[in-house]
Amino acid sequence: VLGMFSELKFPVPWGHVAAKAWGPSEGPPVLCLHGWLDNANTFDTLIPLLPRGCYYVAMDFSGHGLSSHRPTGSPYHFLDYVTDVRRVAAALQWRRFTLMGHSMGGAVAGMFCFLYPEMVDKLILLESLGFLLAPEDTEAWLKSKRTVIDRLLSLEAKQQTPKARSPEAALQRLLEANTHLTAEGGAILLQRGATETPAGLVYNRDMRVRTQDRESLTVEQCVKLLQKIQDRVLIVVAQDGLLVPHKLHSRNHFVKALREAFESTLREHIQLVEVPGSHFVHLNEPEVVSGTISSFLTAQSTRARL
């Protein structure tokens, strides 16, 4: 039964990467990647609704969920998360597999796919376009890099002990920070995202995760990369999410140009589906997206694989 799962741990030089798995280990492999500050439980309600023959592994990125934090003094670079995926794939001895990522996990999945296209069978992006948006200008880019360094040094100087909260307060704080989450969805994430201590619940995530250094791409790069992996990409966006197609033009020049590229050159090659719901639709209302994802997982590619 896909509701049953097992816990996995993969050794890495600074500790371990944690994951949970559903389905038969000999089935077609699907690696599932959660969003920023979330954890593997983000897929708890969706995976039981997907094809039973597949082997689903949902990992916790370093500094998230039950995975070890990175060594003292280290920032969290975006490419480190991509490396986490490569390490897990190597530990599982997977040569080719499907990637499914939500939000930041989608950007990690996209970058992994661009770097290791021979390893990716299909790419499923939930509320993600497969990469992170570039700042509008050089000054904004410089400011973002400076902020990463300053935040890291500030955190190190404070040396704060993680704050303990009552279960109610911990959930309330999570819901305030994620207005797209339902109370039920928040409670599911909290099960893996916090540890019980005598003083109360303490979030598991590493505070340094907030200092993440992003990898940003130009529109031209994004279009070229998407064309490389076309015919095996499903993008699911929620009508009230963060990437609503008919609202994209209001975000910035980058997204507007990207949308125009979708309309002109990518539409026939990449399946873009809009569904009702919020940024966490896959967790809050999984039945809204499970049918589309299941069909995509089981469909045979009609064109030659790239």
Side-chain angles (χ1 to χ4, degrees):
V1 181
L2 272 187
M4 304 289 288
F5 66 88
S6 56
E7 288 285 348
L8 305 175
K9 265 189 183 182
F10 306 104
V12 292
W14 61 92
H16 69 268
V17 168
K20 55 197 300 190
W22 294 257
S25 58
E26 68 279 3
V30 182
L31 188 60
C32 308
L33 310 178
H34 64 76
W36 186 59
L37 298 179
D38 300 333
N39 56 66
N41 278 15
T42 196
F43 297 104
D44 273 17
T45 59
L46 173 62
I47 286 174
L49 304 180
L50 299 183
R52 289 170 178 254
C54 295
Y55 184 47
Y56 304 91
V57 174
M59 59 183 276
D60 292 325
F61 287 124
S62 297
H64 295 71
L66 302 180
S67 287
S68 301
H69 294 186
R70 289 198 172 271
T72 307
S74 303
Y76 281 75
H77 291 286
F78 178 74
L79 276 180
D80 292 335
Y81 296 131
V82 182
T83 309
D84 286 347
V85 173
R86 187 66 188 86
R87 290 180 190 275
V88 168
L92 289 164
Q93 297 184 309
W94 286 358
R95 294 178 60 193
R96 194 172 172 90
F97 53 96
T98 290
L99 270 171
M100 176 163 64
H102 171 245
S103 197
M104 182 193 84
V108 174
M111 183 59 80
F112 184 89
C113 196
F114 303 148
L115 295 174
Y116 297 96
E118 75 283 0
M119 293 185 73
V120 181
D121 185 30
K122 293 178 180 179
L123 179 64
I124 301 167
L125 304 173
L126 307 175
E127 273 286 286
S128 170
L129 295 177
F131 29 76
L132 297 169
L133 309 182
E136 289 292 273
D137 56 43
T138 305
E139 286 307 312
W141 179 81
L142 288 172
K143 186 180 178 184
S144 72
K145 297 296 181 189
R146 177 171 169 155
T147 301
V148 168
I149 296 169
D150 290 348
R151 276 188 183 166
L152 178 66
L153 298 184
S154 171
L155 272 176
E156 288 175 352
K158 287 177 186 170
Q159 290 188 323
Q160 287 174 312
T161 52
K163 186 174 180 180
R165 296 175 167 89
S166 69
E168 297 76 21
L171 179 59
Q172 188 60 36
R173 176 75 190 85
L174 190 63
L175 297 179
E176 284 169 5
N178 294 280
T179 53
H180 290 244
L181 267 180
T182 60
E184 293 79 9
I188 289 170
L189 287 179
L190 206 56
Q191 285 168 11
R192 196 176 184 88
T195 298
E196 209 170 316
T197 72
L201 286 185
V202 173
Y203 293 138
N204 292 339
R205 62 189 181 221
D206 189 339
M207 288 295 288
R208 290 172 298 162
V209 165
R210 294 180 175 277
T211 69
Q212 178 189 229
D213 191 15
R214 303 158 72 109
E215 293 286 325
S216 47
L217 301 170
T218 65
V219 175
E220 291 74 24
Q221 286 173 318
C222 292
V223 172
K224 277 183 182 172
L225 291 169
L226 283 170
Q227 284 173 327
K228 272 179 70 170
I229 58 169
Q230 61 193 23
D231 301 326
R232 46 199 170 98
V233 183
L234 168 66
I235 300 177
V236 179
V237 292
Q239 286 169 357
D240 296 312
L242 303 183
L243 297 168
V244 191
H246 55 267
K247 291 183 187 170
L248 281 183
H249 63 276
S250 66
R251 291 287 296 276
N252 57 21
H253 159 74
F254 178 96
V255 180
K256 186 177 182 189
L258 192 57
R259 186 185 173 202
E260 286 167 2
F262 258 108
E263 298 292 334
S264 61
T265 63
L266 298 171
R267 169 171 278 202
E268 62 181 290
H269 300 298
I270 292 175
Q271 196 179 339
L272 180 68
V273 178
E274 190 177 330
V275 298
S278 72
H279 188 56
F280 282 89
V281 63
H282 69 288
L283 173 61
N284 296 335
E285 302 154 293
E287 63 283 352
V288 172
V289 298
S290 59
T292 300
I293 295 170
S294 296
S295 299
F296 182 75
L297 280 172
T298 53
Q300 296 300 310
S301 182
T302 51
R303 299 170 190 244
R305 289 218 172 104
L306 303 179

